[in-house]
Amino acid sequence: MKTKRPGPRYADIWLPAVVAGLLAIGLSIWGATHQGSDGEAGPSPSAGAPPSPTQSSSATPTEPSGSPSVEPVADARTRLREALARWQQADTGAFTQTSVIPGIGKLTLEGVYRLSTRSSEVTQVFTGEDDEAVEIRFLGSQGDTYLNSPDWERALRPCWMRIDARTLSESTGISIVNGAGSLPANVVALSRARALRADQSDPEVVVGTVRLVDVAPLFGSRLVNALRDATLDVPVPAEFRLVDGEIVGWRVSGRSMAAVLGSEEALAEPDGVLLAAVASYDAVIEYDELGAAVPDVRPPAPGLRMTPAQARSGAGCPAAQ
């Protein structure tokens, strides 16, 4: 029988959070700020206008498996564009993001978001195959993201640590970071989705692309750290599921992601181990409750905020002292 281990300190939580997908929560740092290489910026999720169906890169992605469609490309683009418009007009929603990583464990994110205020509330649970679950909670509001974990030692549990550009840079090695987003990465990536064609084998599926810069956070900080700037706008194949004209989910295959990374020489240095890890699992996102009322997410009270230094030292936030 397993014995329950004591609650981990800050260092024990911070590293797994980053490695397991911290950037996938609300720190899609490039996706929220980076301009397309052709001079056309992708639309903000709160801009209120649907994304243009025009590809932001001339690269031809490797499409997900599936039967070629007889539906005209323009029709598929229209379906996705109109679905994205309804999704943005709904403004709010809930999502579940799941990745099963062979030999490592399962990463599940559940949360709600509001596009107009760029706010979100997310719970991430990472369950290792031979370990207990580690839970991390995130609050995102107007560009700021705070994290907290019930698995921290008792003195730190009431506290929330703000994740800013410097913290991200120190944790991931990314020197070009210029801000942390407060919307989940899957939401940012979806807002810039492009359609290629319909899937003839499944009328609910539109095959398209998302930008590498937007989808990379779903595969963890190690991948984000390894990307070359010149490849950030490369399109990555994705499949979008539409039911009654509404987006109910989308997925990106790890194999397709790895194929793009390899063919575009997107990594700063060749890394076969990293490519194999990315190829071993998919990121699957499901949306629900579009337009439903969601909590008004606000930053934690000043007395509950702590810096990374306070977390490392165990001092915690003022309210815990």
Side-chain angles (χ1 to χ4, degrees), residues 13-29:
I13 285 292
W14 173 248
L15 182 59
V18 173
V19 174
L22 174 59
L23 295 180
I25 313 302
L27 309 182
S28 47
I29 47 183

Side-chain angles (χ1 to χ4, degrees), residues 85-161:
R86 282 189 284 270
W87 173 72
Q88 290 185 335
Q89 289 166 2
D91 192 40
T92 62
F95 74 89
T96 299
Q97 178 181 319
T98 307
S99 293
V100 178
I101 309 171
I104 303 297
K106 181 179 181 180
L107 179 67
T108 302
L109 288 67
E110 294 184 342
V112 295
Y113 61 86
R114 183 184 297 273
L115 301 177
S116 58
T117 59
R118 300 191 65 84
S119 59
S120 61
E121 184 173 351
V122 181
T123 298
Q124 168 186 295
V125 177
F126 181 78
T127 307
E129 291 194 339
D130 300 314
D131 209 350
E132 296 178 9
V134 176
E135 179 179 327
I136 304 174
R137 298 181 296 232
F138 296 84
L139 293 179
S141 178
Q142 295 293 345
D144 293 329
T145 301
Y146 299 83
L147 73 86
N148 164 277
S149 175
D151 293 313
W152 279 342
E153 62 181 33
R154 186 174 298 276
L156 300 182
R157 289 177 195 170
C159 307
W160 291 82
M161 184 174 67

Side-chain angles (χ1 to χ4, degrees), residues 51-55 77-78 81 193-195:
S52 164
T54 305
Q55 290 285 346
R77 288 178 174 174
T78 298
R81 183 175 64 247
R194 304 291 186 267

Side-chain angles (χ1 to χ4, degrees), residues 159-311:
C159 307
W160 291 82
M161 184 174 67
R162 182 174 179 238
I163 305 301
D164 57 17
R166 177 176 296 180
T167 304
L168 284 175
S169 181
E170 291 174 350
S171 302
T172 67
I174 301 171
S175 60
I176 66 170
V177 59
N178 58 3
S182 50
L183 284 172
N186 72 73
V187 171
V188 174
L190 178 61
S191 73
R192 308 180 205 269
R194 304 291 186 267
L196 293 177
R197 59 174 176 82
D199 186 342
Q200 188 177 7
S201 64
D202 189 338
E204 292 184 347
V205 172
V206 170
V207 177
T209 64
V210 289
R211 296 194 311 169
L212 176 59
V213 63
D214 296 329
V215 76
L218 276 63
F219 289 84
S221 59
R222 184 182 173 193
L223 173 58
V224 172
N225 188 26
L227 293 177
R228 292 192 301 114
D229 291 357
T231 63
L232 299 183
D233 290 321
V234 169
V236 176
E239 296 178 346
F240 309 94
R241 183 167 295 278
L242 279 56
V243 175
D244 295 330
E246 292 190 351
I247 294 176
V248 298
W250 65 282
R251 66 183 291 272
V252 58
S253 160
R255 289 186 178 182
S256 295
M257 185 77 169
V260 170
L261 292 170
S263 64
E264 296 291 337
E265 298 181 348
L267 303 182
E269 296 181 6
D271 190 334
V273 174
L274 176 57
L275 289 177
V278 170
S280 69
Y281 66 97
D282 303 339
V284 181
I285 304 98
E286 297 178 350
Y287 297 102
D288 194 11
E289 302 178 13
L290 296 184
V294 300
D296 185 14
V297 179
R298 298 180 181 274
L304 296 177
R305 303 177 195 177
M306 66 177 175
T307 65
Q310 290 172 320

